[in-house]
Amino acid sequence: MNYNLLRAKEVFFILTLSTGLFNHVILIPLLLEAAGRDAWLSVITAFFPFLLFIWIIYYINKNTNQENISDWLKKRYGKLMAALIALPLILILFVHASITFINTSYWAEIYFLPTTPSFLISSVLLISCYLLSSRKLKILAIMSTIVLPMVVFLGFFIMSVNTTEKDPEYLFPLFLNGYVPFFKGIFFSLSGLTEIFVIILIQHKLNQKIQFKQIFWLGVVLLGLTFGPLSAAIMEFGPVEARNFAFPAYEEWKLLKIGEFISRLDFLAMFQWISGAFFRIGLFMYIINHYFNKRKSKLFLPFLYLIIYGFSFLKLDTYDINKFQYLYFLPFSLIIVVSITTVLFILVLLSKRREKAPLERS
């Protein structure tokens, strides 16, 4: 048995932390911008087309025998096809890692370390992520099994304590501005949920086959990580005020109060966010290094991190980043991910039929 390979639940732990950060924090202000009060219903409705995407991911995983997807494509369709499939997905991961890095650095500086030089905050975050992504994936998996339960506990903690601050009436009435915002909300919800395509990129690192129900429950968890803080933000602040916040999920921590003497425990939100950011950036950069750095150069990964570090000097604020994601990146990435996944599904289907044809003639 190769102990460097992962179990299915370890992969899902990593993805819950990495994709969970995006769905739980970064995506919510964009959903509120797109759909306003209707956003919570958009998230629920998005799960139905997402089920089809889950099945496609499962089909690809099952019928490629969990091989390295790039190697599988090279054997059957050539290097060009392998590059056309892998390169856009890798580029999307790199942009996601960069956005997560900039957002996390900016958030830590504004809310917790306003007197600390920004370059120092960025440097500490970058070095920590580099140390994660330069190790074996098994190490990330083991760490995720330790960190995720604590993150989940804090999530349920803030959800239960803030119950008295929630007013369900803020969730209604729906469709005040027609149905267009509702459908836009579905579109942006899918941009976060479809990130489970990462399973295809690391499937060769697993020591067991993934079952459909496992991917299904991962999808349910990711849906819950979006719906929970999104609906809570609307119920606690109202759709208009929640839309004005840069990070509504973090603002929910400021409402926390236990008795008369315990409040302002929002520093616990830092543990949640930093944990997700470490695993998200670390995982994505590990995948990029794994697919591009075939010669195992020790300078390739540091070079990529230096590029990301350079973005921190652009002095982009949350408004600029959210505008870039809302208008360009998330629509583009969703279209690319769905298109490439569909093409890959067709290629796998054709390959399977080719393999069956000689058997049927014999």
Side-chain angles (χ1 to χ4, degrees), residues 115-218:
T115 60
T116 304
S118 58
F119 78 90
L120 184 59
I121 298 172
S122 300
S123 299
V124 172
L125 175 62
L126 204 73
I127 292 171
S128 302
C129 293
Y130 170 75
L131 292 175
L132 272 179
S133 55
S134 61
R135 301 296 188 269
K136 294 179 180 179
L137 193 58
K138 184 69 175 180
I139 294 177
L140 270 76
I142 294 172
M143 292 178 63
S144 69
T145 60
I146 299 171
V147 174
L148 182 61
M150 293 186 283
V151 172
V152 171
F153 170 77
L154 291 176
F156 280 106
F157 171 72
I158 186 64
M159 179 182 69
S160 58
V161 174
N162 276 355
T163 301
T164 56
E165 302 291 337
K166 298 175 182 177
D167 185 356
E169 291 187 3
Y170 278 129
L171 298 175
F172 302 95
L174 297 169
F175 310 125
L176 282 176
N177 298 311
Y179 296 99
V180 173
F182 167 69
F183 288 111
K184 287 172 67 177
I186 294 175
F187 184 85
F188 280 95
S189 299
L190 289 172
S191 68
L193 295 172
T194 52
E195 206 171 280
I196 64 166
F197 78 83
V198 173
I199 291 175
I200 298 299
L201 298 178
I202 59 175
Q203 62 181 17
H204 56 287
K205 294 291 184 179
L206 276 74
N207 65 0
Q208 59 187 137
K209 290 186 177 180
I210 298 178
Q211 300 176 8
F212 176 79
K213 65 179 181 180
Q214 292 174 314
I215 306 180
F216 171 82
W217 285 115
L218 174 63

Side-chain angles (χ1 to χ4, degrees), residues 34-51:
R37 191 198 308 271
D38 302 336
W40 67 271
L41 185 60
S42 298
V43 172
I44 296 175
T45 309
F47 192 69
F48 295 100
F50 180 51
L51 278 175

Side-chain angles (χ1 to χ4, degrees), residues 9-40:
K9 71 175 184 179
E10 291 175 329
V11 171
F12 297 150
F13 276 24
I14 298 174
L15 290 179
T16 301
L17 280 167
S18 62
T19 305
L21 173 70
F22 180 77
N23 287 4
H24 194 77
V25 178
I26 300 174
L27 185 61
I28 289 177
L30 306 180
L31 281 170
L32 289 168
E33 178 67 26
R37 191 198 308 271
D38 302 336
W40 67 271

Side-chain angles (χ1 to χ4, degrees), residues 309-327:
Y309 186 68
F311 292 147
S312 63
F313 292 96
L314 296 177
K315 298 300 180 183
L316 299 173
D317 59 22
T318 305
Y319 174 79
D320 297 323
I321 298 170
N322 285 349
K323 184 178 179 181
F324 167 71
Q325 291 186 94
Y326 184 82
L327 294 178

